[in-house]
Each structure stands twice: as C-alpha cells, then as structure tokens.
Amino acid sequence: MAATNRVFVKSLALARVVFAFASGYVHPDEWFQSNEVTARDVFGVDTAIPWEFSGEAPARSILGAYASSGAAYLVARAIGSGVNGWVVVFAPRLLLCMMSFVVDLAVLECARAVKADVDDANVLFAFSWVTLVLLVRPFSNTMETFAVAACALVALRNKGLNDVARCFAVGVVGMMAVFIRVTSAAFIAPWAWFTVVRAGRGSLARAAAGAASGMAAAALTACACVAVDTMYFSRARGGDVDVTLPTHWVITPLNWFRYNIDTDNLSRHGLHPRYLHALVNGPIMFAHLWVICLWRGLRGKLCVENSTHGTTFTVHTLWASVVLPLVVLSLAPHQEPRFLTPLIVPLCALGALHCKHASPTLRRRLFSLWIAVNAILACLFGVLHQGGVVPSIRALSKQIDATDHSSMSVRAIFWKTYMPPRSVLAQSRDARNRVSITDLSGASDEAVREILLDSTLPHVCAVDDTSCRVNDESTVVLIAPPLAVERLRRDASDALTLTKRFERFPHLSLDHLDDAIDGIRAADDLPGRVDVLVRALTLTAFVVERVD
C-alpha cells in the first residue's frame, strides 16, 4: 500500500503541474488582487486596478500581489522574456506550483509529529482539489496557506534553528502573512504558541525569551511592511506625499479592518449566515474529511489511544489551528469557501491520524470517496468553471495581432461571464489599444441590446469605458454563452446581425445555469438535450453589425 501510494503521489505531482495550465477561472480575485496590479507595474501593460489597491486607504498590501504574481513577472523580465498573454497567465502559476510543494513538506511533518500514516496524509493532500486548483492560482489565500505551512515546518522541525531563532522566524513569517491577509493571524497563532511552549520546556525564562524574540520580529517586520506599502502607494498617487509623517503612513491591515467592520461595505460583496463556513463551505473545500474531523472533535476524540504527551500537544495544536480560524472567520458575515484554504494543512494530518485506526474496508471506502469527489471538483473549478474567458481574450489578441491593418481595432463586450482581466491582452498602457474590453456582467437582455445598437453606430463609442476608442475600422465583438445570445438574437433580429467568429470549450457559468435548464426542458428528444448541453459548456464570440 505504501509503495502504491508513493507512485500515486508522484503522478499527482505531475497532475498539479497540468492543472496549473488548465483554463478554469475560479474567482475574479485571482486576477484583480494580483496579476492586474503587478503586470502593470512590471511590464507596463494596460490593466484594471481594483479598489483595494487604489484610493486614499488601500485595503491590500502590495506584498501579497508581488508574492503571488509580481515575483514571477520580475523573474520573467530578468531572463529576457517579452510580455505576452502566455507569460501573464502562466508565469505566476508555475512559480506557485513549485512553491506549493513546501505545503507537502508541512503536511508530512505534521503527520510524522502525531505518528499518523505519512503516505495517507500525502495522498489526502496531493489529491485535494484545493491543492490541484487553488494552490496554483495567485490568490491571497494561497500565500496565506504557504505562510501557515512555513510556520508549521519551523515549529515542528528539530534541526536548523534553536528555540529563540524558531520563535523569531515564526514572528517574521506570521507578520508578513498578516499584511498579505489579516486573517492569517488566526491560522498562525496556534503555531506561534506552540513555538513559545516548545522554547520554554518547563523554563519560564526560556519561554519569555522565545515570546520576546517572536514579538520583536513581528514588530520589526510590521514596520518594514508599512514602509514598503507607504512608499509604493505614495508613488502610485504621484509621489508628492511626505512618507516620514505618521499621518501619511499606509497601514493596510488597519484599512482592511475598517472596511470590513462596516456591514454596508460587506453587503456589496454578499452577506451570508454565520454558519456557512461550518456547514457549507467546509464540506465544499474538504468533503467528508471536514465532516469526519469535526465530528470526532465534537465527540471529544481529539487524540488516539496510547498518545505520548508530546504527540498529544501537537494534536491539540493541529485542532486549535482548525477551530480558532473557523470561529474567527465565522464572525464575519461575508464567507467564501476559499477563505478556509489554509486548513488543508492540519486537516490532512488529522485525517491521516484518524484513518490509521480505521478498518481496511472503511479506509478503502474513505479514500475512494476522497479521490472521486476531489476529481470532480478539480475538473469543475480548474477546467470547466468560466473556462472560456481567458482563452477568448488570448484569441482576440492573437487575431488582432495577425491582421495587417494597424488601424483596425476590436471592442470586446463580455456578457454573463466573470470580469475579463485586461492584463491578458498584454497591451502597453502608453500606446493606443487595439482591443478594448467592456464587462456587462449579468446585464438584462434589453440593456445589452441597447448597448450593442449604440456601439455599432458609426463614429460612436457609446460604452462608458476609458479604454474604448472611436475608429472607422472598429469591430464590435460580443463574447457570451451561446444560449443567452440566441435569445438576444431573436429579440434584436430586426436591428442586429450576430455572426459567430470563434468559440471556446469548455466553459461553464454556475451563475447562469437557468439558460441551460430552460433549454434542456424545451428540447424534444435526447439529441436535442445533448446539443443544448454542449452549447451550455461553450463560450462564443459573435461579430455584431447593424442591419442596414
């Protein structure tokens, strides 16, 4: 079984690389809190800077964006790589894919520390859709997970650092993580406590020395992070701010807290019940592993029999690194599944510990279910979900670059998709853009019809978009799910013609399944239903022209 697991895990390492190149688009934050910011800084391309990185009170540290994507862009530029859509999309993913193997080491170290089956922990982590999809995307949650893994490694390993240095390292990593994502404090606090207790080992003086070392490291790191953010955002505002004045310092965690403490602000992003993480998001992220671990925790079975004192303390730390973040995150009314991403580290170790004492039949069923569920979710979110958006942008860029007419331009209007990232076009912000992008999100059919009619008027750029240019040779392209466009085409057949230019498969929009459901119900036979299903998994680009 162990040898089979090792071969299986090696094949999953290759699968992780493959998923780094998958077309799925999980959430706009993977672009607009990372690539869109750093691609403009490093390559000078035209992008859309989100609210978190603009205004008088930026709510995100620039450290997170550069850690998740900017570092990869700097490496690409240093080796002489030119800027293009491929580099913008995949350079960060490849770097994150390599970095994700640090989390493998942390999971294995946690499993060894509690005397769980290391191979089982490895399989649980390597086949999780969280690992295959989320950890190779430039989310701040990904960097938060890497920070938690680094702290767990530092806390548990016996070689390389003395106790005071170990506390110092956790203080540095922990504070950097807090600036990247404030909730990191809840994930890392149990490991900080673990390092202090380990440093003490019965001596209050040694524990005090370790705690002082960690707090000093955290304070110095916080000062450095504030200095970096202040200099970056003052430059973004024009560089006329006196950064030596405390009133001008940019403290992004404080700005984040002030924004999120206001329920009216959170309502713009969606309000959820406080139990959503525990009852819905946890099972989405970790399937039955979440249910099993929490059930054992609620029944008081935190440890297994014959555990040593050291093992018991480590198990309790793992449990604390699950329960404390869950409680803290559940206090906020805005809850998304990926906020729980760092829990993959302790849950895989705890899951392997509990599976160790299960019967062979039960273990086989649990792992079979784990593989099946995570394979489905990895394909759903890593490949299918909004999978046509980024490939469509790249296709537009390639087609316009292949034309001989330098005056030709394209107005790309996206409808019923996630926000299209402009950085994929790799167009210089200092030059005239040949492709402009407008996001109509989930606008009504009538609103889209009116915008298309106005956009196809000669010498008119009706859409309120600063990147839109008036041009005699401008082509209007509507990029949308074909089922939605069919309804629009029927309603506007007297005024507009829509000619298919290209399509991208697969593409699934979970936010607009109503069109697919209605189409399947209306189909008369099985071939008709299959045809509707295929079109529901496609994103199509249509050239829009007015009827003369």
Side-chain angles (χ1 to χ4, degrees):
M1 178 69 176
T4 303
N5 279 355
R6 292 189 185 98
V7 173
F8 188 48
V9 169
K10 289 179 180 178
S11 65
L12 287 176
L14 178 60
R16 198 180 309 178
V17 178
V18 172
F19 270 96
F21 290 93
S23 61
Y25 181 172
V26 181
H27 190 278
D29 284 356
E30 73 177 274
W31 287 97
F32 292 90
Q33 291 183 6
S34 182
N35 305 52
E36 289 285 289
V37 178
T38 56
R40 187 172 83 159
D41 289 349
V42 177
F43 295 122
V45 300
D46 182 49
T47 64
I49 302 300
W51 65 269
E52 294 98 329
F53 293 88
S54 58
E56 293 300 317
R60 294 281 180 185
S61 172
I62 195 60
L63 295 172
Y66 269 85
S68 58
S69 63
Y73 293 154
L74 290 171
V75 170
R77 190 178 67 179
I79 63 176
S81 172
V83 58
N84 54 58
W86 194 97
V87 171
V88 169
V89 176
F90 297 116
R93 294 189 190 181
L94 288 175
L95 181 60
L96 292 171
C97 184
M98 291 186 286
M99 293 172 64
S100 70
F101 289 99
V102 174
V103 189
D104 290 72
L105 297 178
V107 170
L108 298 184
E109 198 66 37
C110 290
R112 291 191 190 99
V114 298
K115 294 181 170 54
D117 190 305
V118 172
D119 291 321
D120 286 351
N122 212 351
V123 170
L124 287 173
F125 176 74
F127 212 102
S128 170
W129 80 271
V130 173
T131 303
L132 295 172
V133 179
L134 295 184
L135 293 189
V136 297
R137 305 295 178 104
F139 287 107
S140 60
N141 313 93
T142 302
M143 305 314 301
E144 187 178 37
T145 304
F146 293 167
V148 171
C151 289
L153 276 174
V154 170
L156 293 172
R157 288 212 163 181
N158 295 317
K159 298 179 181 179
L161 294 173
N162 59 43
D163 292 332
V164 174
R166 186 177 286 111
C167 292
F168 189 91
V170 170
V172 171
V173 175
M175 185 51 67
M176 289 184 66
V178 167
F179 270 78
I180 292 173
R181 192 168 181 85
V182 178
T183 53
S184 299
F187 289 99
I188 293 175
W191 294 110
W193 175 251
F194 183 94
T195 57
V196 171
V197 172
R198 179 178 175 178
R201 293 176 182 172
S203 170
L204 185 60
R206 286 199 297 267
S213 172
M215 288 188 290
L220 291 173
T221 304
C223 292
C225 292
V226 169
V228 170
D229 282 336
T230 301
M231 288 186 289
Y232 176 86
F233 289 112
S234 66
R235 187 190 65 179
R237 295 168 185 163
D240 56 352
V241 177
D242 185 357
V243 298
T244 62
L245 294 177
T247 54
H248 293 163
W249 291 349
V250 178
I251 307 176
T252 51
L254 181 59
N255 295 338
W256 179 92
F257 181 79
R258 287 172 174 168
Y259 181 88
N260 285 275
I261 202 69
D262 189 341
T263 305
D264 290 337
N265 290 333
L266 292 181
S267 64
R268 303 171 190 172
H269 310 281
L271 297 179
H272 309 113
R274 298 299 200 281
Y275 57 79
L276 194 70
H277 275 322
L279 299 185
V280 179
N281 294 341
I284 289 175
M285 293 289 285
F286 309 110
H288 53 289
L289 180 61
W290 177 262
V291 178
I292 292 171
C293 288
L294 287 196
W295 176 245
R296 290 187 65 90
L298 290 173
R299 295 178 63 192
K301 296 184 177 182
L302 303 183
C303 300
V304 296
E305 296 179 0
N306 303 320
S307 297
T308 64
H309 175 72
T311 301
T312 300
F313 180 53
T314 305
V315 171
H316 286 167
T317 302
L318 289 172
W319 274 109
S321 64
V322 173
V323 175
L324 178 61
L326 177 61
V327 171
V328 171
L329 291 173
S330 296
L331 295 176
H334 178 64
Q335 302 182 13
E336 297 181 25
R338 60 190 170 86
F339 293 175
L340 302 178
T341 301
L343 296 184
I344 190 70
V345 176
L347 284 176
C348 286
L350 291 171
L353 177 64
H354 298 316
C355 286
K356 180 180 179 180
H357 297 275
S359 67
T361 301
L362 180 59
R363 287 181 72 254
R364 188 163 52 250
R365 289 176 178 174
L366 289 175
F367 277 95
S368 298
L369 181 60
W370 178 258
I371 291 170
V373 170
N374 281 278
I376 293 171
L377 290 174
C379 291
L380 174 62
F381 290 107
V383 180
L384 293 174
H385 189 249
Q386 297 289 328
V389 175
V390 172
S392 294
I393 299 173
R394 295 185 64 200
L396 281 174
S397 180
K398 290 178 180 178
Q399 289 186 11
I400 199 71
D401 288 342
T403 62
D404 296 328
H405 302 287
S406 59
S407 61
M408 181 176 290
S409 63
V410 171
R411 303 177 195 168
I413 299 176
F414 283 77
W415 181 40
K416 291 199 172 187
T417 69
Y418 272 3
M419 294 171 61
R422 290 160 175 77
S423 57
V424 179
L425 293 170
Q427 297 181 130
S428 173
R429 58 176 171 158
D430 297 325
R432 175 186 175 276
N433 292 339
R434 299 182 67 191
V435 180
S436 63
I437 288 179
T438 300
D439 177 29
L440 297 185
S441 189
S444 66
D445 294 6
E446 182 61 30
V448 174
R449 179 180 182 276
E450 293 303 317
I451 288 173
L452 292 178
L453 285 171
D454 289 342
S455 297
T456 50
L457 284 172
H459 303 286
V460 172
C461 184
V463 181
D464 185 14
D465 189 337
T466 57
S467 64
C468 195
R469 302 286 191 271
V470 175
N471 195 296
D472 287 338
E473 297 185 65
S474 178
T475 301
V476 177
V477 177
L478 175 65
I479 300 175
L483 293 179
V485 175
E486 286 177 7
R487 187 174 60 249
L488 179 68
R489 178 183 277 157
R490 289 194 302 267
D491 296 339
S493 60
D494 59 331
L496 296 170
T497 61
L498 290 88
T499 307
K500 184 165 71 174
R501 184 162 183 170
F502 62 81
E503 59 186 15
R504 288 296 178 265
F505 179 92
H507 174 91
L508 174 64
S509 176
L510 296 178
D511 297 326
H512 303 289
L513 290 177
D514 52 334
D515 290 325
I517 294 173
D518 292 342
I520 291 174
R521 287 175 177 173
D524 297 327
D525 51 21
L526 181 60
R529 295 188 182 97
V530 172
D531 178 64
V532 170
L533 182 61
V534 171
R535 283 182 290 156
L537 294 174
T538 304
L539 187 68
T540 307
F542 297 89
V543 175
V544 183
E545 296 175 304
R546 292 178 69 92
V547 175
D548 295 331

